[in-house]
Amino acid sequence: MAIYPELKGRVAVVTGAAQGIGASTVREFAQQGALVALLDIDAAGAQKVADEINGSRTLYVRTDVTDDKSVTDALARVASEFGGIDILVNSAGGYGKLTGVEELPVDDWDRTVTLNLRGTFLMCKRAIPYLKKSKAGRIINVSSISGRTLFGSTSPAYAASKAGVIQLTRFLAIELGPSGITSNSIAPITTLTPRVRALRTEANIEQIASTIPLRRLPDPEDHANAMVFLASDSAAYLNGVALDINGGRILM
Ligand SMILES: NC(=O)c1ccc[n+]([C@@H]2O[C@H](COP(=O)([O-])OP(=O)(O)OC[C@H]3O[C@@H](n4cnc5c(N)ncnc54)[C@H](O)[C@@H]3O)[C@@H](O)[C@H]2O)c1
């Protein structure tokens, strides 16, 4: 694991922190010595992740990223307890039903787009005033390979909202660059989180892996490693990038 000494003492806010890529990102930032705020609707899950971490300060704030007041209050609490906010990672997201547009219930569309796009928008919007006070403000949004291209089964609401996350991030890169804040996104391929492992058979995982030049699916840590890099001073000149973390499966 690369160590970025400058991340020690910086304040990182991670949404979707109770499990999967978000939880792994929390652990990675904690290992860098950052102060980490875990924002999630799942109190028990997030508290468990926070409790695992020794030697670094963590704070769990129950947050619904789709709710403006919940987001505003959570960020105010983090800033007050940790003295500011330097890094925002938006990992809360999900996909709903894997069907075509014709069969997709309208409320499923609304829920998925609200979680992925409104949630990311609200978190970024309400974090901006704090990030502007940081000497190295960073926004890192978690998109998906489904927001970059289409193959295999996905949901139209998921694909459209994850493409929206990339374009929102680019907009922020231009808007916030003059304030010294960088905004980037990552676009993971299917990842071996505990949730994905539980949904797929070994044969299914091997079949997907066989289509990837690196012949394996990523672990959540592969994404967390990229996110600490994007938050570090080494990535100070990366702005508006959508980083494909897909083992070479799709080359854009
Ligand atoms: N796992 C994959 O294969 C994969 C691939 C590409 C992209 N992604 C993206 O990566 C991100 C993380 O994926 P994952 O598989 O680790 O997710 P996950 O489903 O394992 O965890 C999502 C977390 O978000 C939280 N959450 C859900 N709704 C919320 C809300 N309204 N407010 C706050 N928290 C909420 C959940 O409680 C959970 O802890 C998502 O944005 C997902 O779309 C995942």
Side-chain angles (χ1 to χ4, degrees), residues 16 19-21 40 63-65 91 142-143 158 162 188 190-191 195:
Q19 61 180 52
I21 294 170
D40 205 294
T63 313
D64 178 352
V65 298
S91 188
V142 181
S143 177
Y158 185 71
K162 289 297 189 180
T190 308
T191 300
R195 181 180 58 78

Side-chain angles (χ1 to χ4, degrees), residues 135-208:
K135 60 181 187 312
R138 297 281 193 272
I139 292 175
I140 304 162
N141 291 327
V142 181
S143 177
S144 166
I145 195 168
S146 297
R148 295 282 276 163
T149 188
L150 291 173
F151 73 96
S153 65
T154 186
S155 137
Y158 185 71
S161 57
K162 289 297 189 180
V165 165
I166 291 172
Q167 199 68 339
L168 172 66
T169 311
R170 290 176 176 151
F171 197 102
L172 288 164
I174 292 170
E175 181 180 339
L176 302 179
S179 302
I181 301 166
T182 69
S183 304
N184 295 292
S185 57
I186 66 161
I189 196 170
T190 308
T191 300
L192 288 175
T193 60
R195 181 180 58 78
V196 169
R197 271 188 197 280
L199 285 174
R200 312 246 179 198
T201 62
E202 265 316 307
N204 190 219
I205 289 171
E206 270 173 37
Q207 188 278 321
I208 302 172

